[in-house]
Amino acid sequence: MKNILAFFLLCSVTVSAQKFEGLALTPPMGWNSWNTFKTDISDKLVREIADDMVNSGMKDAGYTYIVLDDGWMAKERNRNGDLVPDPKKFPNGLKPVIDYVHAKGLKFGLYNCAGTQTCAGYPGTRGYEYQDARFYASLEIDYLKYDWCNTEGITAKEAYSTMSKALKVAGRPVIFSLCEWGDNQPWNWAKNIGQLWRISGDIYHCFDCIFDHGTWKDWGVTYIIDMHKDIRQFAGPGHWNDFDMMEVGNGMTVGEDRAHFSMWSMLASPLIAGNDLRNMSAETKAILTNKEVIAINQDSLGVQAYLYSQKDSVDTWIKPLSGNDVAICFLNRSKNPFTVSYDFGQHPVTDSVSKMNINFNSSLYKIRDVWMKKEMGNTSKLWSASVQGHDVVLLHLTMAKPPVKK
Ligand code: GLA
């Protein structure tokens, strides 16, 4: 009887603990080719991006993964059914490029799709899951983004489960990034399958526009922020809501880029840069490498921010942090500046997800503006600041003294 029980216990453990554990205890950080380069990628590009990831200070700031998105393959599999890197883009195959990335102390990722073809028309994985997983393991990749085009007749949970199992069987620890755009509510079922799941269609490099392709749409930053209201409880260490690769440095204003980066940090989204690292402006670099903002994203508590209030043009977002710290982001959705006056005593932190409760009348906190990099007094006084149009003020609050016992 005991043996039978142990057997069933083992089976349930094996099935529920499918993905590689411990790989993304904080949101993954890296770079992905798609937003800037689409399928125009090459051996040379990857090497240059890896060099600049190191030289720009991005690696020091925490960016680790270089992910090649759609377009790295030849149009056909070989006669054994194996995927083939495009011989024009990667004349020596992928292994030397991946070795180069690894030698820089970085990690490497690839893209494929659960369907018969990728979104850009290259060979998809459907029916080749275990074979492709072995191919990735032989290349020693560390990350797989897995898309959802051309998937008629299959269900998302099963398809993503199969690939996750295949990766596990292949044996090389890989972050598994689900990209089915939130269509099948992966936050309800993907916790044990992958480390991150997209929650929206593709991002577009604008603050609050929609780019309509006719049969599908790309979404500006605020549309992605607003797309799903009630999924923050599904994010946490090892499993994240993915708000899509970033568009910082891809054409928005500096303030909009700052707002975008701040909100991705508050939302505990993976921070995957999508710009050309080889010619970043000083402003773009300063945004992407602001270590105090990144620390809010990478906080070990792993709690996604909640929307506390929306008043006039300004959202107030609150992110509970470890050590009873708190981040507060004032996001101005209007193009005009707005002066926020915030009486902390009137605005306690009460969070059902982290169970954090702070009453600023009995706990004094120090205020730091992480973009100005300046201390801004404490929570005992009315706090006031102008938030520029399409921009944020982002505060990190640290307890100044222990709570007063009543
Ligand atoms: C989909 C994904 C994008 C990108 C492209 C590649 O649209 O959502 O992030 O990977 O496919 O074709």
Side-chain angles (χ1 to χ4, degrees), residues 238-260:
H239 47 96
W240 308 101
N241 290 318
D242 175 3
F243 288 71
D244 205 355
M245 288 105 55
M246 295 185 289
E247 294 283 14
V248 174
N250 286 345
M252 285 186 279
T253 67
V254 173
E256 289 170 341
D257 275 351
R258 195 165 31 231
H260 171 25

PDB file of all heavy atoms in Angstrom, residues 238-260:
ATOM      1  N   GLY A 238       9.830  32.888 -10.527  1.00  0.00           N
ATOM      2  CA  GLY A 238       9.801  31.709 -11.395  1.00  0.00           C
ATOM      3  C   GLY A 238       8.701  31.736 -12.437  1.00  0.00           C
ATOM      4  O   GLY A 238       8.699  30.921 -13.359  1.00  0.00           O
ATOM      5  N   HIS A 239       7.756  32.687 -12.356  1.00  0.00           N
ATOM      6  CA  HIS A 239       6.631  32.689 -13.318  1.00  0.00           C
ATOM      7  C   HIS A 239       6.070  34.100 -13.425  1.00  0.00           C
ATOM      8  O   HIS A 239       5.487  34.636 -12.496  1.00  0.00           O
ATOM      9  CB  HIS A 239       5.560  31.695 -12.875  1.00  0.00           C
ATOM     10  CG  HIS A 239       5.211  31.799 -11.429  1.00  0.00           C
ATOM     11  ND1 HIS A 239       4.141  32.518 -10.974  1.00  0.00           N
ATOM     12  CD2 HIS A 239       5.818  31.298 -10.326  1.00  0.00           C
ATOM     13  CE1 HIS A 239       4.100  32.444  -9.656  1.00  0.00           C
ATOM     14  NE2 HIS A 239       5.114  31.714  -9.234  1.00  0.00           N
ATOM     15  N   TRP A 240       6.254  34.691 -14.600  1.00  0.00           N
ATOM     16  CA  TRP A 240       5.991  36.130 -14.747  1.00  0.00           C
ATOM     17  C   TRP A 240       5.006  36.435 -15.865  1.00  0.00           C
ATOM     18  O   TRP A 240       5.033  35.780 -16.916  1.00  0.00           O
ATOM     19  CB  TRP A 240       7.310  36.866 -15.035  1.00  0.00           C
ATOM     20  CG  TRP A 240       8.373  36.539 -14.034  1.00  0.00           C
ATOM     21  CD1 TRP A 240       9.404  35.660 -14.210  1.00  0.00           C
ATOM     22  CD2 TRP A 240       8.475  37.041 -12.692  1.00  0.00           C
ATOM     23  NE1 TRP A 240      10.158  35.601 -13.055  1.00  0.00           N
ATOM     24  CE2 TRP A 240       9.605  36.431 -12.111  1.00  0.00           C
ATOM     25  CE3 TRP A 240       7.736  37.955 -11.942  1.00  0.00           C
ATOM     26  CZ2 TRP A 240      10.009  36.704 -10.799  1.00  0.00           C
ATOM     27  CZ3 TRP A 240       8.131  38.222 -10.638  1.00  0.00           C
ATOM     28  CH2 TRP A 240       9.258  37.599 -10.085  1.00  0.00           C
ATOM     29  N   ASN A 241       4.191  37.460 -15.657  1.00  0.00           N
ATOM     30  CA  ASN A 241       3.404  38.051 -16.742  1.00  0.00           C
ATOM     31  C   ASN A 241       4.374  38.848 -17.614  1.00  0.00           C
ATOM     32  O   ASN A 241       5.073  39.732 -17.111  1.00  0.00           O
ATOM     33  CB  ASN A 241       2.338  38.991 -16.177  1.00  0.00           C
ATOM     34  CG  ASN A 241       1.231  38.245 -15.434  1.00  0.00           C
ATOM     35  OD1 ASN A 241       0.760  37.201 -15.888  1.00  0.00           O
ATOM     36  ND2 ASN A 241       0.827  38.768 -14.290  1.00  0.00           N
ATOM     37  N   ASP A 242       4.375  38.547 -18.914  1.00  0.00           N
ATOM     38  CA  ASP A 242       5.339  39.170 -19.832  1.00  0.00           C
ATOM     39  C   ASP A 242       4.619  40.249 -20.641  1.00  0.00           C
ATOM     40  O   ASP A 242       3.750  39.930 -21.460  1.00  0.00           O
ATOM     41  CB  ASP A 242       5.910  38.062 -20.743  1.00  0.00           C
ATOM     42  CG  ASP A 242       6.828  38.590 -21.823  1.00  0.00           C
ATOM     43  OD1 ASP A 242       7.089  39.802 -21.865  1.00  0.00           O
ATOM     44  OD2 ASP A 242       7.285  37.765 -22.653  1.00  0.00           O
ATOM     45  N   PHE A 243       4.975  41.502 -20.408  1.00  0.00           N
ATOM     46  CA  PHE A 243       4.314  42.622 -21.091  1.00  0.00           C
ATOM     47  C   PHE A 243       4.944  42.922 -22.454  1.00  0.00           C
ATOM     48  O   PHE A 243       4.639  43.934 -23.054  1.00  0.00           O
ATOM     49  CB  PHE A 243       4.310  43.858 -20.170  1.00  0.00           C
ATOM     50  CG  PHE A 243       3.334  43.712 -19.020  1.00  0.00           C
ATOM     51  CD1 PHE A 243       3.577  42.814 -17.977  1.00  0.00           C
ATOM     52  CD2 PHE A 243       2.151  44.427 -18.980  1.00  0.00           C
ATOM     53  CE1 PHE A 243       2.668  42.647 -16.926  1.00  0.00           C
ATOM     54  CE2 PHE A 243       1.237  44.278 -17.944  1.00  0.00           C
ATOM     55  CZ  PHE A 243       1.500  43.390 -16.921  1.00  0.00           C
ATOM     56  N   ASP A 244       5.802  42.070 -22.933  1.00  0.00           N
ATOM     57  CA  ASP A 244       6.435  42.092 -24.260  1.00  0.00           C
ATOM     58  C   ASP A 244       7.801  42.796 -24.222  1.00  0.00           C
ATOM     59  O   ASP A 244       8.131  43.532 -23.287  1.00  0.00           O
ATOM     60  CB  ASP A 244       5.544  42.726 -25.336  1.00  0.00           C
ATOM     61  CG  ASP A 244       5.895  42.221 -26.744  1.00  0.00           C
ATOM     62  OD1 ASP A 244       6.889  41.463 -26.878  1.00  0.00           O
ATOM     63  OD2 ASP A 244       5.186  42.583 -27.700  1.00  0.00           O
ATOM     64  N   MET A 245       8.570  42.531 -25.268  1.00  0.00           N
ATOM     65  CA  MET A 245       9.899  43.122 -25.383  1.00  0.00           C
ATOM     66  C   MET A 245       9.754  44.643 -25.426  1.00  0.00           C
ATOM     67  O   MET A 245       8.782  45.170 -25.949  1.00  0.00           O
ATOM     68  CB  MET A 245      10.572  42.666 -26.680  1.00  0.00           C
ATOM     69  CG  MET A 245      11.008  41.232 -26.683  1.00  0.00           C
ATOM     70  SD  MET A 245       9.986  40.104 -27.653  1.00  0.00           S
ATOM     71  CE  MET A 245       9.934  40.812 -29.255  1.00  0.00           C
ATOM     72  N   MET A 246      10.782  45.317 -24.906  1.00  0.00           N
ATOM     73  CA  MET A 246      10.638  46.770 -24.754  1.00  0.00           C
ATOM     74  C   MET A 246      10.931  47.532 -26.056  1.00  0.00           C
ATOM     75  O   MET A 246      11.648  47.059 -26.923  1.00  0.00           O
ATOM     76  CB  MET A 246      11.572  47.261 -23.646  1.00  0.00           C
ATOM     77  CG  MET A 246      11.182  46.702 -22.281  1.00  0.00           C
ATOM     78  SD  MET A 246      12.188  47.382 -20.958  1.00  0.00           S
ATOM     79  CE  MET A 246      13.764  46.608 -21.256  1.00  0.00           C
ATOM     80  N   GLU A 247      10.366  48.717 -26.110  1.00  0.00           N
ATOM     81  CA  GLU A 247      10.581  49.629 -27.250  1.00  0.00           C
ATOM     82  C   GLU A 247      11.387  50.857 -26.821  1.00  0.00           C
ATOM     83  O   GLU A 247      11.403  51.862 -27.535  1.00  0.00           O
ATOM     84  CB  GLU A 247       9.233  50.062 -27.842  1.00  0.00           C
ATOM     85  CG  GLU A 247       8.446  48.928 -28.491  1.00  0.00           C
ATOM     86  CD  GLU A 247       8.960  48.533 -29.878  1.00  0.00           C
ATOM     87  OE1 GLU A 247      10.079  48.928 -30.249  1.00  0.00           O
ATOM     88  OE2 GLU A 247       8.221  47.818 -30.570  1.00  0.00           O
ATOM     89  N   VAL A 248      12.040  50.787 -25.681  1.00  0.00           N
ATOM     90  CA  VAL A 248      12.887  51.899 -25.226  1.00  0.00           C
ATOM     91  C   VAL A 248      13.975  52.130 -26.281  1.00  0.00           C
ATOM     92  O   VAL A 248      14.628  51.179 -26.715  1.00  0.00           O
ATOM     93  CB  VAL A 248      13.542  51.572 -23.861  1.00  0.00           C
ATOM     94  CG1 VAL A 248      14.539  52.657 -23.452  1.00  0.00           C
ATOM     95  CG2 VAL A 248      12.468  51.379 -22.789  1.00  0.00           C
ATOM     96  N   GLY A 249      14.124  53.378 -26.706  1.00  0.00           N
ATOM     97  CA  GLY A 249      15.154  53.702 -27.709  1.00  0.00           C
ATOM     98  C   GLY A 249      14.669  53.507 -29.130  1.00  0.00           C
ATOM     99  O   GLY A 249      15.445  53.638 -30.077  1.00  0.00           O
ATOM    100  N   ASN A 250      13.383  53.206 -29.314  1.00  0.00           N
ATOM    101  CA  ASN A 250      12.883  52.927 -30.670  1.00  0.00           C
ATOM    102  C   ASN A 250      11.936  53.996 -31.198  1.00  0.00           C
ATOM    103  O   ASN A 250      11.076  53.716 -32.027  1.00  0.00           O
ATOM    104  CB  ASN A 250      12.196  51.551 -30.708  1.00  0.00           C
ATOM    105  CG  ASN A 250      13.206  50.423 -30.671  1.00  0.00           C
ATOM    106  OD1 ASN A 250      14.398  50.634 -30.884  1.00  0.00           O
ATOM    107  ND2 ASN A 250      12.753  49.215 -30.391  1.00  0.00           N
ATOM    108  N   GLY A 251      12.060  55.220 -30.702  1.00  0.00           N
ATOM    109  CA  GLY A 251      11.308  56.307 -31.339  1.00  0.00           C
ATOM    110  C   GLY A 251      10.387  57.100 -30.440  1.00  0.00           C
ATOM    111  O   GLY A 251       9.864  58.127 -30.868  1.00  0.00           O
ATOM    112  N   MET A 252      10.136  56.645 -29.217  1.00  0.00           N
ATOM    113  CA  MET A 252       9.312  57.460 -28.315  1.00  0.00           C
ATOM    114  C   MET A 252      10.169  58.585 -27.725  1.00  0.00           C
ATOM    115  O   MET A 252      11.399  58.562 -27.832  1.00  0.00           O
ATOM    116  CB  MET A 252       8.738  56.586 -27.194  1.00  0.00           C
ATOM    117  CG  MET A 252       7.600  55.698 -27.665  1.00  0.00           C
ATOM    118  SD  MET A 252       6.817  54.795 -26.312  1.00  0.00           S
ATOM    119  CE  MET A 252       7.934  53.436 -26.108  1.00  0.00           C
ATOM    120  N   THR A 253       9.527  59.540 -27.051  1.00  0.00           N
ATOM    121  CA  THR A 253      10.305  60.601 -26.395  1.00  0.00           C
ATOM    122  C   THR A 253      11.028  60.012 -25.180  1.00  0.00           C
ATOM    123  O   THR A 253      10.684  58.918 -24.714  1.00  0.00           O
ATOM    124  CB  THR A 253       9.395  61.739 -25.898  1.00  0.00           C
ATOM    125  OG1 THR A 253       8.574  61.221 -24.844  1.00  0.00           O
ATOM    126  CG2 THR A 253       8.505  62.283 -27.013  1.00  0.00           C
ATOM    127  N   VAL A 254      11.981  60.768 -24.665  1.00  0.00           N
ATOM    128  CA  VAL A 254      12.735  60.289 -23.497  1.00  0.00           C
ATOM    129  C   VAL A 254      11.781  60.058 -22.314  1.00  0.00           C
ATOM    130  O   VAL A 254      11.863  59.058 -21.606  1.00  0.00           O
ATOM    131  CB  VAL A 254      13.852  61.283 -23.123  1.00  0.00           C
ATOM    132  CG1 VAL A 254      14.514  60.892 -21.820  1.00  0.00           C
ATOM    133  CG2 VAL A 254      14.880  61.350 -24.248  1.00  0.00           C
ATOM    134  N   GLY A 255      10.832  60.984 -22.134  1.00  0.00           N
ATOM    135  CA  GLY A 255       9.858  60.832 -21.043  1.00  0.00           C
ATOM    136  C   GLY A 255       9.009  59.589 -21.227  1.00  0.00           C
ATOM    137  O   GLY A 255       8.733  58.857 -20.263  1.00  0.00           O
ATOM    138  N   GLU A 256       8.570  59.341 -22.457  1.00  0.00           N
ATOM    139  CA  GLU A 256       7.751  58.142 -22.730  1.00  0.00           C
ATOM    140  C   GLU A 256       8.559  56.868 -22.500  1.00  0.00           C
ATOM    141  O   GLU A 256       8.061  55.889 -21.934  1.00  0.00           O
ATOM    142  CB  GLU A 256       7.215  58.201 -24.164  1.00  0.00           C
ATOM    143  CG  GLU A 256       6.142  59.272 -24.343  1.00  0.00           C
ATOM    144  CD  GLU A 256       5.735  59.532 -25.795  1.00  0.00           C
ATOM    145  OE1 GLU A 256       6.500  59.165 -26.715  1.00  0.00           O
ATOM    146  OE2 GLU A 256       4.666  60.124 -26.001  1.00  0.00           O
ATOM    147  N   ASP A 257       9.816  56.890 -22.937  1.00  0.00           N
ATOM    148  CA  ASP A 257      10.682  55.724 -22.689  1.00  0.00           C
ATOM    149  C   ASP A 257      10.860  55.490 -21.189  1.00  0.00           C
ATOM    150  O   ASP A 257      10.853  54.349 -20.713  1.00  0.00           O
ATOM    151  CB  ASP A 257      12.067  55.941 -23.319  1.00  0.00           C
ATOM    152  CG  ASP A 257      12.106  55.537 -24.792  1.00  0.00           C
ATOM    153  OD1 ASP A 257      11.126  54.944 -25.272  1.00  0.00           O
ATOM    154  OD2 ASP A 257      13.129  55.817 -25.443  1.00  0.00           O
ATOM    155  N   ARG A 258      11.011  56.597 -20.463  1.00  0.00           N
ATOM    156  CA  ARG A 258      11.181  56.493 -19.006  1.00  0.00           C
ATOM    157  C   ARG A 258       9.916  55.896 -18.368  1.00  0.00           C
ATOM    158  O   ARG A 258       9.984  55.037 -17.490  1.00  0.00           O
ATOM    159  CB  ARG A 258      11.455  57.900 -18.460  1.00  0.00           C
ATOM    160  CG  ARG A 258      12.001  57.928 -17.078  1.00  0.00           C
ATOM    161  CD  ARG A 258      12.602  59.266 -16.697  1.00  0.00           C
ATOM    162  NE  ARG A 258      11.994  60.413 -17.330  1.00  0.00           N
ATOM    163  CZ  ARG A 258      12.672  61.355 -17.977  1.00  0.00           C
ATOM    164  NH1 ARG A 258      13.986  61.308 -18.046  1.00  0.00           N
ATOM    165  NH2 ARG A 258      12.048  62.381 -18.535  1.00  0.00           N
ATOM    166  N   ALA A 259       8.755  56.359 -18.854  1.00  0.00           N
ATOM    167  CA  ALA A 259       7.480  55.854 -18.327  1.00  0.00           C
ATOM    168  C   ALA A 259       7.333  54.359 -18.645  1.00  0.00           C
ATOM    169  O   ALA A 259       6.953  53.553 -17.792  1.00  0.00           O
ATOM    170  CB  ALA A 259       6.324  56.640 -18.930  1.00  0.00           C
ATOM    171  N   HIS A 260       7.650  53.992 -19.873  1.00  0.00           N
ATOM    172  CA  HIS A 260       7.574  52.593 -20.337  1.00  0.00           C
ATOM    173  C   HIS A 260       8.474  51.712 -19.464  1.00  0.00           C
ATOM    174  O   HIS A 260       8.034  50.696 -18.902  1.00  0.00           O
ATOM    175  CB  HIS A 260       8.002  52.607 -21.809  1.00  0.00           C
ATOM    176  CG  HIS A 260       8.227  51.300 -22.480  1.00  0.00           C
ATOM    177  ND1 HIS A 260       7.639  50.112 -22.084  1.00  0.00           N
ATOM    178  CD2 HIS A 260       8.989  50.980 -23.563  1.00  0.00           C
ATOM    179  CE1 HIS A 260       8.029  49.142 -22.889  1.00  0.00           C
ATOM    180  NE2 HIS A 260       8.860  49.644 -23.790  1.00  0.00           N
TER     181      HIS A 260
END
